[in-house]
Every structure is written in C-alpha cells, then in structure tokens.
C-alpha cells in the first residue's frame, strides 16, 4: 500500500482541511462534498486524513470490522465471537474505500458469493464496498457523474448507518457507518440539489493563483515523490499534533454546550437565506460544536458559527433570479448582516 502524503504538509485549501477534520470528529454531520478543479489535492487530503487517524479496535474475523465495545452496532458474526467473553480483537487502520464510477450496485451493497454457491452449494453473502467502508471513509471521486440511484443509495445508507440487502434468497443486514466524501468538478456536471442537500458540508477548492503558494505546492509534492519515507518523517511531528487534536476533540465533543442564543442565531441565518427544511440549522449546530471541540472550547460561540456557515449552507440555497451573486457570497453577506462586519 503506497504511503500517503502527510495531511499537515498540504499547502492551502484550509476550508477543505477544516471540513475533513470536523467530519473526523463528528461523523453525524453527514459527509463532505468537495467541488473544485482537478489536481487540487482532494483525494490526497482524504487519504492523508485517514492515515493519521489512530488505528481502531475491531473484532477479529468480522467482515465489517465491528467495534467490540458497542454491541448495539455489532453484526451477528461479531456478537457470536464476543459471546464467550474471550478477547478476540485487534487494531486495524481506519479504512478508506474508493467507489469507482463504473461500480455495479452488487459491488457496492454486496451480493451472493457465486464461488461458494457453485462449488459448495452454499448461499453466502459476499460483502461489498459499503461493508469495507464501515467505521471509515467512503470516497467517490466525480460523484456528480455517478448514477443517481447509486448516489441515492449511498446517502440513504450513510444516513441510516445500515446496509440492507434483499436479493437472490439472501436477507442480510449489516452496519455501514462511514463518512461519505464526494468530490467533483462542477464544469463536468452538477449534482442534483436534493442530493447535494444531503451532504453535511460543501467546500470549494481552487487552483492556487498566488505564485509563492504554487511553488510551495510543487516543491513539497516533488520532495514527497523523490523520497516518501524522508518526507513523511519530516512532517511526522506536525501530523502527530493533528492526530492528538482530533483524539482530544472526540473526547471533548459530548461536553461542549450549545447555548440557546447560538441556536437562535443559526436559525436566524437560515431564515434570512431561505434554506429549505431544518438540515441547515442541524448541520450548523453539529459542525460548530465539533469545531469548538477541535479548538478546545467548552461552549459554542458566534465565531464558530461564522467560520462554519459557508460550508454548512452554501449548497442549500435556492437560485435567486434577482441576485446573481454566488452562493458563497450570499452566505458571507448574510453572516455579515447578522453578526456585524
């Protein structure tokens, strides 16, 4: 398995990095959609983040690497293995699973194991990509080009945390809790608004226009390609800091409080922007709480809301024929009106 580029060595793209950190702390946010040019570090950032997360405890032999300390979300295989009270767990890396555009529904959700069926006459389930992604990340590059029924399926499973397979005489239900990361270039096709709205955060990345920044990106990438081990060692301390920050934030998350005044401001912001439903407020609250946990704060405040407003709301706005400003500009304008410049 190739060594991933260090997360802390990624130059710029601060909004994308922050969104991924928030998703790593609070998976309930509902995934991250990254729109931007090719070659701007989208897939690099996802793999880098997963690589610096601490290994997770999993039941040995479980195809879904269930957690041993949470029976409510364990599969039948894990429950059976843990039933005798003996320790049968090991540490495994956080999975990052790529979903290719040409994947069939069977490959995604799983299907009948034909080899066992033909050779042994046994009906057995062959887990798909959703099973492999359980407790990790499912990454879909060019998700805007993925067939709609697969995007619907992914978002439904990501929301429920469970994959249900009913086919060919099989009836399987297994945990599938993962952080869905989608990326795409809007020039190649748009994602349907109702599907885009299901992603928790939407961030924008662009090709750097600053000369020094471009040179820094090229230098680091070249140094990484020439000697990966040395480059990773050089950034090890910085990555360790990020890892400790995530671990501390996860422990702190449940204790972070969200005052009523903050909820009122979140609701006022969504009302002023005319967002449909209540997903906007929910995402704002969860993302701001995760951000506060990352920052080491005990209470969510206005500054957390301001920082997370654009990625939480820009993809939930309706087009306004009387306002040709982009969605990011509209969110920033509403934030300035509510919180002051």
């Amino acid at each position: 398995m190739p060594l991933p580029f260090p997360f802390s060595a990624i130059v710029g793209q601060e909004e994308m990095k922050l969104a991924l950190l928030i998703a790593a702390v609070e998976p309930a946010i509902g995934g991250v959609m990254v729109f931007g040019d090719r070659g701007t570090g989208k897939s690099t950032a996802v793999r880098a983040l997963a690589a610096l997360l601490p290994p997770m405890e999993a039941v040995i032999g479980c195809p879904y690497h269930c957690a041993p300390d949470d029976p409510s979300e364990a599969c039948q295989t894990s429950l059976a293995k843990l039933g005798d009270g003996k320790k049968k767990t090991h540490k495994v890396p956080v999975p990052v699973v790529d979903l290719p555009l040409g994947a069939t529904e069977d490959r995604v959700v799983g299907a009948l194991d034909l080899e066992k069926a033909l050779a042994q006459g046994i009906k057995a389930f062959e887990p798909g990509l959703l099973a492999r992604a359980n407790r990790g990340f499912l990454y879909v590059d060019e998700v805007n080009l993925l067939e709609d029924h697969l995007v619907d399926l992914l978002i439904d499973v990501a929301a429920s945390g469970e994959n249900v397979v009913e086919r060919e005489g099989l009836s399987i239900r297994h945990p599938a809790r993962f952080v869905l990361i989608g990326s795409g270039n809007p020039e190649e096709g748009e994602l349907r608004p109702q599907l885009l709205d299901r992603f928790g955060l939407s961030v924008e990345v662009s090709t750097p226009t600053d000369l020094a920044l471009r040179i820094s990106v090229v230098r680091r990438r070249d140094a990484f390609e020439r000697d990966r081990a040395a480059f990773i060692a050089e950034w090890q301390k910085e990555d360790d800091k990020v890892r400790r920050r995530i671990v501390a934030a996860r422990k702190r998350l449940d204790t972070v409080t969200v005052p009523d005044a903050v909820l009122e401001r979140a609701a006022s912001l969504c009302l002023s922007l005319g967002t449909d439903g209540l997903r906007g407020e929910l995402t704002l609250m969860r993302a701001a709480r995760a951000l506060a946990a990352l920052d080491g704060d005990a209470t969510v405040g206005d500054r957390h809301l301001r920082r997370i407003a654009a990625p939480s709301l820009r993809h939930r706005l309706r087009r306004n024929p009387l306002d040709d400003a982009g969605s990011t500009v509209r969110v920033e304008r509403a934030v300035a009106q509510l919180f002051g410049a």
Side-chain angles (χ1 to χ4, degrees):
M1 183 176 176
L3 297 172
F5 193 86
F7 187 80
S8 48
I10 296 172
V11 180
Q13 314 298 11
E14 299 302 329
E15 187 180 64
M16 173 177 66
K17 289 191 287 186
L18 179 62
L20 292 176
L21 289 175
I22 287 173
V25 172
E26 174 55 293
I29 282 173
V32 179
M33 179 67 207
V34 185
F35 277 121
D37 305 329
R38 294 195 198 93
T40 47
K42 298 187 291 289
S43 57
T44 297
V46 175
R47 289 178 176 77
L49 175 68
L52 65 78
L53 294 176
M56 56 188 195
E57 196 84 24
V59 178
I60 295 174
C62 173
Y64 318 111
H65 24 82
C66 290
D69 56 353
D70 191 358
S72 65
E73 295 183 1
C75 67
Q76 293 302 316
T77 303
S78 293
L79 291 175
K81 285 178 177 289
L82 294 169
D84 58 11
K86 296 180 181 177
K87 181 176 174 61
K88 294 178 179 176
T89 65
H90 61 163
K91 296 275 190 182
V92 296
V94 174
V96 180
V97 176
D98 285 281
L99 194 157
L101 284 182
T104 63
E105 187 167 331
D106 280 357
R107 187 177 175 196
V108 175
V109 302
L112 178 69
D113 187 333
L114 287 177
E115 188 176 339
K116 283 188 178 177
L118 294 174
Q120 305 171 30
I122 299 173
K123 277 189 177 180
F125 178 61
E126 184 176 8
L129 298 177
L130 296 180
R132 287 174 50 200
N134 186 38
R135 302 179 66 202
F137 295 82
L138 184 66
Y139 178 58
V140 192
D141 192 16
E142 298 182 324
V143 66
N144 47 333
L145 302 183
L146 194 66
E147 292 183 32
D148 285 348
H149 75 280
L150 285 181
V151 180
D152 275 330
L153 186 155
L154 291 180
I155 291 177
D156 285 344
V157 174
S160 67
E162 190 174 59
N163 181 34
V164 181
V165 184
E166 298 280 356
R167 59 183 60 186
E168 296 157 341
L170 288 172
S171 179
I172 301 291
R173 186 182 294 266
H174 69 76
R177 296 187 180 279
F178 52 83
V179 176
L180 179 62
I181 310 289
S183 67
N185 185 340
E187 293 179 358
E188 296 174 344
E190 294 186 351
L191 194 62
R192 282 190 288 135
Q194 57 269 45
L195 299 180
L196 186 56
D197 178 65
R198 302 285 292 276
F199 280 91
L201 302 176
S202 172
V203 299
E204 297 174 345
V205 294
S206 58
T207 305
T209 54
D210 179 79
L211 186 62
L213 202 62
R214 294 177 74 105
I215 292 173
S216 181
V217 172
V218 172
R219 279 195 187 285
R220 289 187 187 180
R221 190 70 207 187
D222 183 56
F224 174 70
E225 296 294 347
R226 289 166 68 89
D227 189 342
R228 295 188 177 215
F231 188 82
I232 290 170
E234 181 184 345
W235 288 91
Q236 189 65 53
K237 283 188 178 178
E238 294 302 316
D239 266 6
D240 287 343
K241 287 181 187 175
V242 179
R243 182 183 297 110
R244 287 195 293 271
R245 189 180 172 205
I246 293 171
V247 172
R250 285 176 170 176
K251 292 178 181 174
R252 191 181 296 117
L253 184 64
D254 288 341
T255 66
V256 175
T257 59
V258 184
D260 288 346
V262 169
L263 286 179
E264 188 175 323
R265 282 183 180 271
S268 298
L269 186 59
C270 292
L271 277 172
S272 67
L273 288 166
T275 59
D276 292 331
L278 297 174
R279 287 201 184 104
E281 283 99 320
L282 276 172
T283 304
L284 263 178
M285 181 192 67
R286 289 170 176 164
R289 185 165 53 202
L291 178 58
L294 279 167
D295 288 349
D297 296 326
T299 305
V300 176
D302 287 349
R303 70 185 181 88
H304 302 116
L305 282 183
R306 292 182 70 131
R307 284 179 65 191
I308 207 63
S312 299
L313 299 177
R314 64 159 62 95
H315 55 306
R316 306 181 197 281
L317 307 189
R318 290 185 176 184
R319 286 182 179 153
N320 184 350
L322 302 177
D323 188 350
D324 59 359
S327 57
T328 301
V329 172
R330 288 167 61 191
V331 174
E332 290 174 347
R333 198 164 56 200
V335 167
Q337 289 173 351
L338 182 65
F339 296 98

